[in-house]
Amino acid sequence: MVYEDERVVAFFPTKPAVVGHVLVVPRRHVPDVWALDEGEAAHLGKVCVRLAGVIRRALDPSGLNIIQSNGASATQTVFHLHVHLVPRRAGDAMGRIWPTKARYPASEKDEAWSRLRVASWTEAPAREGPSGEDRRKHLELVQAVVARMAAASGNVKTWLLPVVIALYGFSITEGSVALALLGLATVILSMYVDANYLRVERDFRGLYDAVARNTRPVRAFSLDPSGTAAPVPPGSWRGLLAASARRWVPGWRVWRSWSILPFYGALLLIGLVIAIGGTW
């Protein structure tokens, strides 16, 4: 026995990979890492770090592998969780343990990256966050941004209506298709601006929920809602394009919102009728 306490034991395996190879094993039966609770994981990690230091002092290896396998496809043959501490020297019997020519499509790596990020957000347990007072102040700041976006959206509609009514009215009385088209352009521009206000408002509502429910790490008093959106894989033109589109082009859920599609859709329809009627 190399080490033991009330939760783990460490010993030499019967067939070591190299001299000094140590196995660290929980006393409780745990088949794999997915069955390990956080307390056991923390203790197991501490013991592994401690024994790695012991191996270094006692055997002076030039390197060390810490290996832990889960499942038959990962070469697990004993289905009780265990960690290998393998001291390494140049030219030892272990050889290389990493593939040298593995190549994977960028799309496959990007998809895996995105799925892992999403899973880490949606399945992560609630974390200990800032104090209640700090969280309350943070929520007030975020709520103020939400209120400003809502007010800005209302201002766009308030400004737009008299302008468009005037343009459409003059188009009818003057028989001017150009004025109708100008009214349509004004509606489209206002629709885009308003949709972006709504997009930002929803992003900040997501940030508000994250702070209020403490479902993911958020820096104290952060007003960056970007972490509430789906992740974009780094280092690829698709990632950059997706990030730009998400920043400047509202998604379909925003466009079809009751405050966007019905209001602006009606104004666009009226303008099209006037413009088409003016060409007859």
Side-chain angles (χ1 to χ4, degrees):
M1 195 73 66
V2 175
Y3 173 86
E4 63 178 321
D5 61 28
E6 70 282 359
R7 304 180 76 173
V8 302
V9 295
F11 51 87
F12 288 149
T14 55
K15 296 181 179 180
V18 298
V19 174
H21 176 183
V22 174
L23 278 177
V24 186
V25 182
R27 289 185 183 273
R28 184 177 76 88
H29 175 59
V30 182
D32 51 42
V33 71
W34 296 295
L36 196 64
D37 67 42
E38 291 186 357
E40 288 175 316
H43 185 72
L44 183 63
K46 288 179 181 178
V47 171
C48 287
V49 170
R50 184 184 307 164
L51 291 178
V54 170
I55 291 172
R56 187 177 192 181
R57 291 193 301 273
L59 303 178
D60 192 28
S62 57
L64 179 82
N65 285 127
I66 299 179
I67 303 170
Q68 198 279 308
S69 303
N70 301 278
S73 60
T75 71
Q76 184 181 13
T77 56
V78 177
F79 291 89
H80 181 102
L81 185 141
H82 53 283
V83 181
H84 299 266
L85 303 181
V86 185
R88 300 298 305 274
R89 300 182 190 279
D92 62 25
M94 281 286 291
R96 296 185 63 87
I97 63 171
W98 207 259
T100 57
K101 297 182 179 180
R103 296 290 186 273
Y104 305 98
S107 59
E108 187 176 333
K109 292 186 287 186
D110 288 349
E111 180 184 1
W113 186 91
S114 295
R115 292 175 68 177
L116 286 169
R117 286 295 302 275
V118 170
S120 72
W121 290 344
T122 57
E123 297 180 8
R127 301 167 174 84
E128 182 179 355
S131 67
E133 180 64 17
D134 284 348
R135 183 178 291 116
R136 184 185 65 78
K137 292 179 180 178
H138 194 175
L139 291 173
E140 288 177 355
L141 288 174
V142 177
Q143 183 59 43
V145 176
V146 172
R148 285 199 298 271
M149 292 300 103
S153 175
N155 290 337
V156 170
K157 293 181 176 69
T158 301
W159 172 86
L160 174 67
L161 278 176
V163 173
V164 170
I165 290 172
L167 288 171
Y168 285 172
F170 280 118
S171 174
I172 294 172
T173 57
E174 301 294 328
S176 172
V177 175
L179 287 175
L181 294 177
L182 180 59
L184 284 170
T186 304
V187 172
I188 292 171
L189 177 61
S190 300
M191 183 179 182
Y192 172 76
V193 172
D194 199 359
N196 272 287
Y197 282 141
L198 180 59
R199 174 184 61 81
V200 174
E201 178 186 336
R202 288 186 173 183
D203 284 348
F204 273 87
R205 288 188 185 278
L207 177 61
Y208 185 97
D209 288 342
V211 174
R213 299 176 183 177
N214 196 28
T215 54
R216 67 176 180 85
V218 178
R219 294 191 309 275
F221 303 107
S222 170
L223 291 179
D224 177 12
S226 59
T228 63
V232 175
S236 68
W237 66 268
R238 285 185 297 273
L240 294 174
L241 183 62
S244 298
R246 192 168 63 222
R247 182 174 182 180
W248 299 108
V249 182
W252 171 239
R253 292 183 63 184
V254 172
W255 290 113
R256 70 182 183 184
S257 166
W258 66 268
S259 64
I260 300 295
L261 185 59
F263 179 81
Y264 292 98
L267 292 178
L268 288 172
L269 182 60
I270 293 171
L272 285 172
V273 170
I274 294 172
I276 293 171
T279 61
W280 292 348

